[in-house]
Amino acid sequence: MYNKVYVEITNICNMNCSFCHGHKRAPKRMTADEFSVVLDKLKEQTRFIYYHLMGEPLTHPLLPDFIKMAGEQGYKSIITTNGTLLKKRGEELLSSGVHKVNISLHSFEEGTEEDHRKYVCELSKFAKCAVEKGTIVVFRLWNEGFDGGKNEVALDVLRECIGGEWKENTRGIKICDKIYLEWGKRFEWPDSEAEIRGDKYFCYGLKDQFGILSDGTVVPCCLDSDGVIKLGNIFEEDIDTILNSKRATDIVEGFRCGKASEDLCKRCGYAQRFV
């Protein structure tokens, strides 16, 4: 089984962050029937569904229903969000039984300091409510070198509003039970027009993860924002057939040997982090 599958329930976002590659696809939200097909076909593939590739999952009106549907079939649901809609939709999200919420604090790094403090304070309130419901919250600061001084503001507010132990671990910091902070480098999205990067590559795409875009297109990883590497469509084909296709197996075998069979992968900085 795969460690996780990224399911893009919508490619629509309410923000336009500088670090985000964006996409050129038509706006799309999965319907309940489409999401039901995805759940049925992923039963033997994973137990963890991440509601993200592009788009902000909290813009989807059926998100709580989707999480409940997934839970009824034994899946654990993890969402990644910019956090701006949690004040409005946080309660219904937690009531749906979401397993974990990743909050990208770097999504708001371009606002004023006053707005930034207010934003992080609201997210701190959500995190404390989440803990009471048994939901894990991970604050992400994946913006090394690009924070513009905002990271210290965020950390000050988190300490003030949450308190906690603040114990370092291998991934970042454990603030308190079920609330964590993760650091990360800002990565460059792969782009078909970018330069080729080196000659050795490795990626966990199709090794412990793959993605499904909102129109059903299956892609090898969470960074193929435009569906350049189309392996098939989950609404039209059997998922085992898609994952065992020649194109998919060539990708896996290539990375096993330190090579990239796809042109987009040769232009991905992330595929060189592990070589």
Side-chain angles (χ1 to χ4, degrees), residues 166-182:
W166 288 77
K167 292 183 178 180
E168 292 190 13
N169 57 38
T170 55
R171 296 181 63 90
I173 293 172
K174 178 182 179 180
I175 296 177
C176 61
D177 184 43
K178 297 189 184 306
I179 302 180
Y180 301 86
L181 174 70
E182 289 183 359

Side-chain angles (χ1 to χ4, degrees), residues 2 4-6 53 190 203-213 217-232 242-243 247-252 255 261-262 264-265:
Y2 292 86
K4 57 198 168 196
V5 175
Y6 292 88
L53 258 94
C203 181
Y204 288 99
L206 293 177
K207 181 177 175 64
D208 73 357
Q209 60 158 288
F210 62 91
I212 301 169
L213 301 181
T217 297
V218 178
V219 292
C221 78
C222 60
L223 295 181
D224 189 356
S225 60
D226 275 313
V228 173
I229 308 175
K230 295 180 173 66
L231 301 177
I242 295 172
L243 296 175
R247 190 172 191 181
T249 55
D250 282 350
I251 292 171
V252 174
F255 285 136
S261 64
E262 294 288 338
L264 185 68
C265 300

Side-chain angles (χ1 to χ4, degrees), residues 45 66 108 138 152 256:
Q45 303 299 332
F66 286 2
F108 214 70
V138 179
E152 289 304 318
R256 190 182 70 81

Side-chain angles (χ1 to χ4, degrees), residues 135-201:
T135 298
I136 299 166
V137 174
V138 179
F139 293 110
R140 289 178 170 177
L141 287 171
W142 289 7
N143 61 350
E144 185 176 321
F146 292 87
D147 68 285
K150 294 287 182 16
N151 283 1
E152 289 304 318
V153 173
L155 295 176
D156 286 345
V157 176
L158 291 175
R159 288 191 180 97
E160 179 182 337
C161 295
I162 299 177
E165 305 168 357
W166 288 77
K167 292 183 178 180
E168 292 190 13
N169 57 38
T170 55
R171 296 181 63 90
I173 293 172
K174 178 182 179 180
I175 296 177
C176 61
D177 184 43
K178 297 189 184 306
I179 302 180
Y180 301 86
L181 174 70
E182 289 183 359
W183 304 99
K185 293 181 179 180
R186 184 172 181 173
F187 56 85
E188 295 181 29
W189 291 75
D191 192 297
S192 299
E193 298 179 1
E195 294 182 359
I196 291 178
R197 298 169 175 269
D199 57 2
K200 287 190 177 294
Y201 308 89

Side-chain angles (χ1 to χ4, degrees), residues 28 30 38 211-219 232-235 242:
K28 173 77 169 73
M30 275 192 188
V38 171
I212 301 169
L213 301 181
S214 52
D215 66 355
T217 297
V218 178
V219 292
N233 192 295
I234 198 169
F235 298 145
I242 295 172

